[in-house]
Amino acid sequence: MSETNEYLDPRFYALTQPNARLERLHTGSLWCEGPVYIADADIVLWSDIPNDRILRWTPTGDVGVYCQPSRYANGHTRDRQGRLISCEHGSRQVTRTEHDGQITVLADRYGGGRLNSPNDVVVASDDSIWFSDPPYGILSNYEGHKAESEQAGCFVFRLEPASGALTVVADDFVRPNGLAFSPDERVLYISDTARSHDPNGHHHIRAFDVVDGRRLENSRVFAVIEPGVPDGFRVDTDGNIWTSAGDGVHCYAPDGVLLGKIHVPEAVSNLTFGGPRRNRLFITASSSLYAIYVAQTGAQWP
Ligand code: MG
């Protein structure tokens, strides 16, 4: 029996490896975030935001600096063409790393003002890019550059990469943060992590119906995360939501039931499914990168 996995619902046994062991793959960072698995290279990239760098892990165990400075990059994902999409606190923009290494700025302004500090990002099957824009990168000089917000709020955006059109899809979050689609893309989950700077702030994930692939309707609170905040999360191919929390990774069924937990000795910020079989969770947690095998596979590109 695993000492790492905590089973709160019998369904969690089928989703995990009961004898799985949590591995710490790297430590020594200040604050890790934004893990992304690069399948064709079999590597994991993740951000060490205060150190202004992106790290790279390989299956041989080697860890090196992928890039530094990283413009205080935070969340990453890949588009369907396999290009890296990154949220950058320092430059207050969303970028795409082309196959030749060139950086394309996809979004840096809305309504005449600079973005706050794009945080996390997902790509839909129609190539649209959805990202959150809380102010964590401009609150101080720790995770970016201290500055005043030039936006009327903390929005969630939908970007059409072909035209560059940027639209607000949610404007009533205090601190929008992680986001992920259900496998059929009919539901978008978005977290509010206002508790990070306000003990009475939100620490929940909301669910929205996605209408015409463009708009969000029917907002409802899907799960309240305790302890900690749902900074980042991913969805598996059966629609279960694996989210960061203060004591590890929490797994929720699509019906909102908390199925179980994977305990991690540091506060978790984010995670991604990776490995050649997509059955290994790579977990960024405070100063470290962890991994654990599960019995599910991720529903994410590519
Ligand atoms: Mg985040």
Side-chain angles (χ1 to χ4, degrees), residues 195 202-203 225-230 244-247:
R195 183 197 245 180
H202 296 310
H203 45 104
I225 306 304
E226 186 68 47
V229 294
S244 79
D247 58 351

Side-chain angles (χ1 to χ4, degrees), residues 116-243:
N116 292 323
S117 52
N119 189 295
D120 213 345
V121 58
V122 286
V123 178
S125 57
D126 66 355
D127 293 333
S128 61
I129 295 170
W130 304 59
F131 66 94
S132 59
D133 189 39
Y136 291 117
I138 57 173
L139 295 176
S140 73
N141 289 318
Y142 188 58
E143 291 195 10
H145 308 294
K146 184 174 171 56
E148 294 296 317
S149 174
E150 299 176 22
Q151 295 294 323
C154 297
F155 303 142
V156 179
F157 292 99
R158 179 185 184 275
L159 171 70
E160 290 250 10
S163 66
L166 193 60
T167 55
V168 174
V169 292
D171 63 2
D172 61 346
F173 279 77
V174 181
R175 295 286 183 266
N177 204 322
L179 57 179
F181 285 102
S182 62
D184 61 8
E185 296 187 4
R186 290 183 177 179
V187 175
L188 179 65
Y189 300 97
I190 308 174
S191 66
D192 195 323
T193 57
R195 183 197 245 180
S196 65
H197 289 68
D198 172 2
N200 298 313
H202 296 310
H203 45 104
H204 59 218
I205 298 172
R206 285 158 64 180
F208 296 82
D209 296 335
V210 181
V211 180
D212 300 330
R214 300 176 165 272
R215 293 181 292 109
L216 300 179
E217 290 185 354
N218 191 22
S219 169
R220 62 271 189 191
V221 173
F222 171 76
V224 177
I225 306 304
E226 186 68 47
V229 294
D231 191 334
F233 46 90
R234 293 289 188 275
V235 175
D236 67 31
T237 50
D238 291 328
N240 302 296
I241 294 89
W242 303 69
T243 179

Side-chain angles (χ1 to χ4, degrees), residues 5 9 13 51 87 145 153 179 186 211 221 290:
N5 298 338
D9 183 290
Y13 284 96
N51 281 318
C87 292
H145 308 294
L179 57 179
R186 290 183 177 179
V211 180
V221 173
Y290 293 87

Side-chain angles (χ1 to χ4, degrees), residues 10-71:
R11 286 177 283 178
F12 199 48
Y13 284 96
L15 307 184
T16 54
Q17 298 293 339
N19 61 351
R21 189 173 73 85
L22 184 73
E23 300 172 90
R24 190 168 73 176
L25 302 179
H26 182 261
T27 192
S29 294
L30 286 173
W31 180 251
C32 296
E33 247 279 29
V36 59
Y37 178 67
I38 310 295
D40 29 331
D42 194 17
I43 62 172
V44 176
L45 302 178
W46 77 101
S47 300
D48 176 5
I49 306 174
N51 281 318
D52 195 17
R53 62 181 183 172
I54 299 172
L55 298 174
R56 174 185 52 220
W57 171 90
T58 71
T60 59
D62 292 332
V63 172
V65 175
Y66 172 75
C67 77
Q68 189 178 32
S70 63
R71 298 176 295 279

